[in-house]
């Protein structure tokens, strides 16, 4: 579909489909947007709309519900509620698994790299010609190690950024709603007095 400026909009038909494992692993689901962005400036309409679970209203409501539940529970047990517990309730099992797996893969990759490198250098220093396959295998293992560590780091960073945005949005929404509620109470009290 051509816009007024002659640019064609990115098709949003692909957004309703579930992303495959390979696409999610290598971030291929962003290829269309990145291709269009390399050819022209992107508009807001080029991006797929946010799903309900990633919208600011949804995450704010989820945090508010959890916070109200914690406040009620602590009030009945005579304890002081803690907001950070409600924030932890916002974490999904999928988020935690992806973040922990990414961290483990990246850390393991960083620990294995010096070992592979040391073995590779020692194999190169040896004068034996029959170690050629081991040298190639070690070089391939170093490449795969770097690839796995890089993928782990990128998924850890991506999921952490998205989670940080969701939590920040929810906390700002909670504070904004609380401030708005206090203004309403102040206005009502003022009207009752005046």
């Amino acid at each position: 579909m051509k816009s007024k400026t002659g640019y064609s909009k990115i098709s949003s038909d692909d957004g309703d489909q579930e992303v495959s494992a390979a696409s999610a692993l290598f971030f291929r689901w962003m290829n269309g947007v990145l291709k269009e962005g390399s050819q022209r400036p992107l508009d807001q309409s080029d991006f797929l709309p946010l799903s309900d679970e990633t919208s600011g209203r949804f995450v704010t409501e989820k945090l508010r519900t959890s916070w109200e539940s914690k406040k009620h529970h602590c009030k009945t047990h005579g304890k002081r509620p803690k907001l950070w517990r409600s924030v932890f309730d916002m974490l999904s099992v999928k988020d935690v698994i992806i973040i922990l797996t990414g961290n483990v893969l990246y850390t393991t990759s960083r620990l294995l790299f010096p070992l592979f490198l040391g073995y590779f250098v020692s194999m190169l220093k040896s004068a034996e010609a029959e170690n050629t396959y081991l040298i190639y295998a070690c070089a391939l293992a170093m490449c795969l190690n770097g690839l796995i560590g890089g993928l782990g780091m990128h998924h850890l960073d991506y999921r952490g950024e998205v989670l940080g945005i969701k939590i920040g949005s929810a906390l700002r929404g909670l504070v904004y709603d609380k401030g708005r509620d206090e203004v309403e109470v102040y206005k009502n009290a003022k009207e009752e007095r005046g």
Side-chain angles (χ1 to χ4, degrees), residues 100-164:
L100 289 177
T101 303
N103 197 0
V104 166
L105 289 174
Y106 178 65
T107 303
T108 303
S109 172
R110 293 289 304 248
L111 292 173
L112 289 178
F113 183 74
L115 298 175
F116 282 132
L117 186 60
Y119 185 73
F120 184 69
V121 169
S122 71
M123 293 297 287
L124 286 176
K125 284 185 175 182
S126 72
E128 300 173 12
E130 64 268 358
N131 290 337
T132 306
Y133 293 116
L134 288 175
I135 291 173
Y136 289 135
C138 188
L140 180 64
M142 286 173 58
C143 291
L144 289 175
N145 183 49
L147 177 69
I148 291 170
L151 285 173
M153 179 190 65
H154 287 297
H155 281 277
L156 166 69
D157 289 346
Y158 173 72
R159 190 58 65 157
E161 287 284 333
V162 169
L163 199 56

Side-chain angles (χ1 to χ4, degrees), residues 17-184:
Q17 300 173 355
E18 189 67 28
V19 178
S20 68
S23 179
L25 187 62
F26 295 107
F27 297 103
R28 285 188 50 218
W29 49 272
M30 283 294 297
N31 284 353
V33 175
L34 295 175
K35 184 178 178 184
E36 283 296 317
S38 69
Q39 296 171 357
R40 65 173 174 83
L42 295 173
D43 297 325
Q44 180 66 32
S45 60
D46 288 327
F47 297 101
L48 295 174
L50 288 175
S51 64
D52 288 339
E53 62 206 27
T54 56
S55 68
R57 181 172 295 151
F58 178 82
V59 295
T60 301
E61 191 58 40
K62 187 176 180 181
L63 180 63
R64 181 184 303 113
T65 303
S66 175
W67 176 237
E68 293 298 328
S69 171
K70 295 276 190 240
K71 284 190 334 187
H72 178 71
H73 181 267
C74 289
K75 188 176 185 180
T76 58
H77 290 87
K79 296 181 181 178
R80 186 171 175 211
K82 294 181 175 38
L83 183 60
W84 63 267
R85 289 187 180 167
S86 296
V87 170
F88 273 117
D89 286 345
M90 292 183 63
L91 299 175
S92 69
V93 174
K94 182 180 177 182
D95 289 334
V96 172
I97 288 173
I98 290 174
I99 288 172
L100 289 177
T101 303
N103 197 0
V104 166
L105 289 174
Y106 178 65
T107 303
T108 303
S109 172
R110 293 289 304 248
L111 292 173
L112 289 178
F113 183 74
L115 298 175
F116 282 132
L117 186 60
Y119 185 73
F120 184 69
V121 169
S122 71
M123 293 297 287
L124 286 176
K125 284 185 175 182
S126 72
E128 300 173 12
E130 64 268 358
N131 290 337
T132 306
Y133 293 116
L134 288 175
I135 291 173
Y136 289 135
C138 188
L140 180 64
M142 286 173 58
C143 291
L144 289 175
N145 183 49
L147 177 69
I148 291 170
L151 285 173
M153 179 190 65
H154 287 297
H155 281 277
L156 166 69
D157 289 346
Y158 173 72
R159 190 58 65 157
E161 287 284 333
V162 169
L163 199 56
I165 291 168
K166 285 167 83 172
I167 291 172
S169 176
L171 287 171
R172 281 189 292 278
L174 189 67
V175 168
Y176 174 75
D177 287 346
K178 181 159 176 68
R180 188 174 56 191
D181 292 344
E182 288 178 1
V183 168
E184 291 290 327

